[in-house]
Amino acid sequence: WNFKRLDLFVFVLIFFVTAFLWAREPLQKGFSFIDYPPNYDLYPLYDAAFFDTGSQFALIGQKIFMYGGYFFERPLYSGFLVYLHALFGQDYSILMAGQAAVYAVFPALIYLIGRSLNIRAVGLAAALVAAFRGINAIAASNLIDLASPKMMLTDFPAAIGVALVVLAVCEWLKQPAGKWHYALWVGGAVGFTLMLRTNALMLLALIPVYGLFKFSKEWKIWMLH
């Protein structure tokens, strides 16, 4: 196999194995979920309940991103929950299993970042660490308030967005002439992440610095990009 086919195989393998492991890990009662009467099933609370309520309004045809009359600056996650509820219903154990399966793309993206930097072994090791970290975060969610794949918060999807930004920047700066369109992918990934966490604005301050060093001898190309 050539490297491209091998990378695709490893990417898909990491994704599906991680999705299986994260989805099968039981949802825990903890800082984001608690059992409520009368049926004592697990339901979200605090910020998790805030995000979920926004998605529930959309399911009944109401405004999704205006909750309680206030502007909401993190609309993407509530929008994602709308589709999850439409697919999996209102059983939060099943709902979070579906979410965890989607989030399993995170370790796979980490591997691609290693591949982009020509250190596949490090990328694979980092992907395994991220996969096991996700399992531990779910299992320990009743003990420690950690961002996990089965938590109704924007921390974990924001990490996926940052991984997308890093991957696109690596590919762009490796071959700026041949992959100039990756600059557009960088902007798209930053925009995606901004709809999850406004902290991603810091990336817009850092990325041009890397570009400045890369294109310092070819300032006209730098200005074009």
Side-chain angles (χ1 to χ4, degrees), residues 30-63:
F31 296 91
S32 291
F33 285 93
I34 194 170
D35 50 352
Y36 283 107
N39 56 354
Y40 290 97
D41 284 341
L42 291 175
Y43 294 98
L45 73 160
Y46 302 130
D47 289 352
F50 177 82
F51 287 111
D52 189 57
T53 304
S55 70
Q56 299 286 358
F57 275 126
L59 290 172
I60 61 173
Q62 301 298 316
K63 296 179 180 180

Side-chain angles (χ1 to χ4, degrees), residues 72-134:
F72 189 47
E73 80 282 3
R74 301 178 185 179
L76 190 58
Y77 182 60
S78 289
F80 173 64
L81 286 177
V82 173
Y83 291 99
L84 280 183
H85 278 296
L87 288 172
F88 300 108
Q90 299 291 343
D91 188 323
Y92 285 91
S93 296
I94 299 175
L95 190 78
M96 289 297 96
Q99 174 179 284
V102 175
Y103 287 176
V105 73
F106 180 57
L109 288 174
I110 290 178
Y111 169 75
L112 289 184
I113 293 171
R115 187 272 309 169
S116 181
L117 297 173
N118 294 320
I119 45 176
R120 285 179 173 83
V122 175
L124 180 60
L128 292 175
V129 169
F132 286 121
R133 190 267 182 198

Side-chain angles (χ1 to χ4, degrees), residues 174-204:
K174 277 172 59 179
Q175 301 179 35
K179 295 184 176 181
W180 60 268
H181 55 284
Y182 270 84
L184 301 178
W185 284 104
V186 172
V190 172
F192 168 88
T193 313
L194 274 175
M195 289 193 292
L196 293 165
R197 304 281 292 201
T198 51
N199 313 62
L201 281 170
M202 292 188 295
L203 297 172
L204 291 178

Side-chain angles (χ1 to χ4, degrees), residues 154-169:
T154 57
D155 305 72
F156 212 94
I160 296 174
V162 172
L164 284 171
V165 173
V166 172
L167 178 61
V169 169

